[in-house]
Amino acid sequence: MKTIEKKPRGLTKYFKYAVFLGLFLTIGGAIPGLLTGWQPVTSGLVIAGVTVLLLWLVWMLTNAEGGWNPRSAQAGTNAFVATLSVLVILGLINFLGVRYTERFDLTENQRFTLAPQSQQLVRNLPQPVKVWVFAGEPERGDLELLENYRSQAPNLFNFQYVDPSRQPTVARQFGVQSFGEVYLASEDGTRQQFVQTVSSVSSLSEARLTSSLEQFTSDRSYKVYLLQGHGERPLEAGRGAISQAVASLQDKNFLVEPLNLARLPRVPPDASVVVIAGPKQPLFPQEVQALRAYLQQGGSLFVAIDPDTNPGLDPLLKEWGIELDKTIAIDGSGSGG
């Protein structure tokens, strides 16, 4: 007697291929969800895919008329197991990526790598510090810089963006005056320090942030005294001034003050360094003696002498093996200021 096999009717004959639809939906939602974060779309794709796979599996086990046979069942089961394996592997990769973060900067000039000083400072912070940026949407460069800082010590450094128009109470706590202001704050919120103001044309500065972190966490201040009274370069902004150098020192946690040794008998004991920048007239003998005593006690002296001037420092400098001559160095590259 000849057996006639009934063929599946309608859409039933295509249902055995639903496994591929389920795999497509599940993997399509799982990969971006695990790697970049779960969103409603990615979660919905995974749920839809798993639902299709479960329905297909039930249909394969119960509907013999729909094309059940050991070969198709084995192929479908293998596909189902492969899907679960992919999800487990992706989950493991995501877990390891969150638990053990490591970033590599492959750019030629290491533009996404913090300077060694910044890395060491963040890793050795004595207490947790948080950066508050009072702006709307973060600029990409600023966000990457802050992420680089946080990657050095996630337990010690963190940051948060706050829109002042949506959270005015927080803005008032920091005394925010304009959009884009950046502040440092201690973990308990008792200490705050302004860093700078950022905008679309003024990015967050690594040098400024590192300097502010050092000031914020350091109990020690360094004093730089700039000698005055002999035609030295002025400290205030103007022609021939060194105001930019003064501002740079202040950004690096130095306190800068003028020093007039004609009125003081000695260099102040809290001086970290004394700077003599371009004097036009010779120093008085008592001033040279005050500098000599300061150096003998372990002080530091920085001297910048213009050509064709005689500051009267030759005897003092010779004691330290330094001799001034009339040689002039010229920058022929054209890039010097």
Side-chain angles (χ1 to χ4, degrees):
M1 181 177 180
K2 185 176 180 181
T3 302
I4 300 177
E5 182 179 355
K6 293 183 180 180
K7 295 183 179 180
R9 297 179 179 179
L11 296 177
T12 306
K13 62 180 179 180
Y14 299 109
F15 197 76
K16 61 182 178 181
Y17 301 110
V19 62
F20 300 109
L21 175 62
L23 291 174
F24 176 79
L25 294 175
T26 304
I27 296 177
I31 291 178
L34 291 172
L35 297 181
T36 63
W38 291 103
Q39 302 294 332
V41 174
T42 56
S43 301
L45 288 175
V46 172
I47 294 173
V50 172
T51 302
V52 171
L53 288 173
L54 291 176
L55 291 175
W56 167 84
L57 184 61
V58 171
W59 179 85
M60 289 291 293
L61 295 176
T62 59
N63 194 343
E65 184 181 2
W68 164 264
N69 60 71
R71 179 176 297 179
S72 62
Q74 182 179 2
T77 303
N78 291 339
F80 189 77
V81 172
T83 302
L84 292 179
S85 301
V86 170
L87 294 177
V88 170
I89 293 173
L90 289 176
L92 182 60
I93 293 175
N94 186 66
F95 170 77
L96 294 176
V98 173
R99 184 72 178 273
Y100 306 101
T101 57
E102 187 66 32
R103 304 180 68 180
F104 299 95
D105 188 355
L106 301 179
T107 57
E108 183 177 356
N109 58 355
Q110 299 291 290
R111 58 175 297 194
F112 300 117
T113 301
L114 295 179
Q117 301 92 324
S118 300
Q119 296 182 25
Q120 182 178 4
L121 176 65
V122 176
R123 293 170 183 171
N124 297 323
L125 287 174
Q127 71 265 356
V129 177
K130 188 173 183 178
V131 176
W132 294 79
V133 185
F134 290 90
E137 291 296 326
E139 295 291 332
R140 180 177 178 180
D142 296 346
L143 186 60
E144 289 178 346
L145 180 62
L146 292 171
E147 290 284 4
N148 284 338
Y149 274 92
R150 184 164 61 182
S151 66
Q152 301 298 321
N155 296 328
L156 296 174
F157 184 94
N158 204 352
F159 65 90
Q160 181 175 344
Y161 274 80
V162 176
D163 189 337
S165 60
R166 296 183 178 181
Q167 295 179 275
T169 303
V170 180
R172 284 195 296 268
Q173 292 175 355
F174 283 83
V176 176
Q177 300 295 324
S178 60
F179 199 80
E181 291 185 2
V182 181
Y183 289 85
L184 293 175
S186 58
E187 188 177 25
D188 56 8
T190 57
R191 296 182 58 211
Q192 302 169 2
Q193 178 177 317
F194 173 75
V195 179
Q196 70 172 99
T197 301
V198 297
S199 65
S200 58
V201 296
S202 179
S203 300
L204 184 61
S205 166
E206 178 186 345
R208 183 69 64 84
L209 182 54
T210 295
S211 175
S212 299
L213 280 170
E214 186 175 6
Q215 295 177 25
F216 190 73
T217 58
S218 176
D219 295 330
R220 180 183 177 185
S221 60
Y222 302 90
K223 271 197 175 180
V224 177
Y225 285 93
L226 287 91
L227 192 65
Q228 299 288 285
H230 317 87
E232 289 88 355
R233 296 184 180 275
L235 308 185
E236 296 79 12
R239 184 174 181 180
I242 56 173
S243 56
Q244 290 185 350
V246 171
S248 179
L249 288 170
Q250 292 172 340
D251 287 342
K252 291 178 172 57
N253 203 30
F254 286 93
L255 299 177
V256 181
E257 292 187 8
L259 173 63
N260 192 329
L261 287 177
R263 300 177 181 176
L264 296 176
R266 61 172 184 165
V267 176
D270 60 351
S272 299
V273 62
V274 174
V275 177
I276 305 176
K280 298 296 187 293
Q281 291 86 33
L283 277 67
F284 295 113
Q286 64 268 26
E287 294 178 295
V288 177
Q289 183 56 37
L291 291 173
R292 179 179 287 108
Y294 168 68
L295 291 175
Q296 291 174 348
Q297 296 172 0
S300 300
L301 181 65
F302 179 86
V303 182
I305 306 299
D306 292 328
D308 300 324
T309 58
N310 179 21
L313 292 173
D314 288 347
L316 176 62
L317 296 177
K318 286 182 179 179
E319 296 177 9
W320 294 89
I322 301 173
E323 183 177 354
L324 298 178
D325 58 28
K326 297 184 180 300
T327 302
I328 299 177
I330 300 177
D331 181 7
S333 65
S335 60

